[in-house]
Amino acid sequence: MFTVPTPTVAIAGSADRFPVRRIFCVGQNYADHTREMGGDPDRQPPFFFSKPADAVVDTDAELPHPPQTHDLHHEVELVIALHSGGSDIAVADALRHVFGHGVGIDLTRRDLQAAAKAAGRPWDMAKGFDASAPVGPLTRGGPPAAAGIALTIDGEPRQSGNIDQMIWSVAEVIATLSGLVTLAPGDLVFTGTPAGVGPIRPGQEVRGTLDGAAPITVRFRP
């Protein structure tokens, strides 16, 4: 027989690590990004997609450029880690399930996503590929109501926003998601990205930051 290791995320200030069960992602949760992607920013119910748990990548990793894409994009996001879960969680109770928070990068093969959209097909291979979810060390506790979030490539600013600009709050996201699936300890939730998404080229260094949390930095091999 063989054993399959459990993917984990670092915890700031601790030798312990957070075991990852599943990764859920919210699409178009910032009005400016929604417009950027050609959508309507009016407050519609959030939609979700997922990534495999072993897509997580620690900070300071060196990554190969993903195969089958000529348009790899960055999307910096607030990430929420859950220590408990359930179904049909009330908004008022949602933050009680949060273990910690951090900053992550939703890597996207944009050309594959565009082709899937045009054909009415799922996005799985555009979003859920190997090493597509870099996540920085988690800070224990829920996120602040407002905090700057940003991304640079080779030190040049590409994305900048504040998590208070989210259309759906963290509590609302958790509550809505729990009405679709039963949430559980170990679940991660990527909560959406501000405007400014764009391409990553081989050889570049990508750094995501969130005020009050440890950064995430990954480098792509030339």
Side-chain angles (χ1 to χ4, degrees):
M1 290 295 292
F2 57 89
T3 59
V4 178
T6 299
T8 61
V9 174
I11 300 171
S14 174
D16 294 334
R17 294 181 66 87
F18 182 86
V20 178
R21 178 173 180 262
R22 294 179 296 185
I23 302 174
F24 298 102
C25 307
V26 185
Q28 298 182 10
N29 198 26
Y30 288 72
D32 54 0
H33 175 59
T34 301
R35 295 187 188 95
E36 178 179 57
M37 299 303 293
D40 184 346
D42 286 346
R43 201 170 190 266
Q44 300 296 321
F47 68 91
F48 300 90
F49 57 91
S50 62
K51 293 174 180 275
D54 63 1
V56 295
V57 176
D58 275 338
T59 193
D60 295 325
E62 183 176 274
L63 304 177
H65 193 274
Q68 303 298 319
T69 183
H70 299 288
D71 198 19
L72 177 67
H73 276 208
H74 55 78
E75 299 185 14
V76 66
E77 310 203 8
L78 165 67
V79 178
I80 301 298
L82 302 182
H83 64 71
S84 59
S87 58
D88 296 319
I89 297 169
V91 173
D93 297 329
L95 294 182
R96 299 176 188 174
H97 298 278
V98 175
F99 167 83
H101 67 281
V103 62
I105 303 171
D106 169 15
L107 295 174
T108 302
R109 294 193 280 202
R110 192 70 74 199
D111 44 359
L112 270 64
Q113 184 186 40
K117 285 181 177 181
R121 295 174 178 170
W123 299 358
D124 295 56
M125 292 299 100
K127 289 286 192 177
F129 53 94
D130 297 339
S132 61
V135 181
L138 299 171
T139 297
R140 293 177 187 267
I149 188 168
L151 182 140
T152 61
I153 293 185
D154 292 340
E156 296 183 4
R158 295 294 180 89
Q159 289 185 266
S160 181
N162 197 295
I163 61 173
D164 67 1
Q165 299 166 341
M166 290 195 298
I167 298 170
W168 291 87
S169 70
V170 169
E172 290 171 326
V173 165
I174 293 171
T176 302
L177 182 57
S178 74
L180 297 168
V181 296
T182 300
L183 296 176
D187 288 342
L188 295 181
V189 183
F190 280 61
T191 60
T193 193
V197 302
I200 303 167
R201 306 301 182 201
Q204 291 186 319
E205 178 179 279
V206 182
R207 180 179 176 85
T209 58
L210 174 71
D211 291 347
I216 175 69
T217 301
V218 291
R219 302 169 188 84
F220 289 85
R221 296 172 194 152

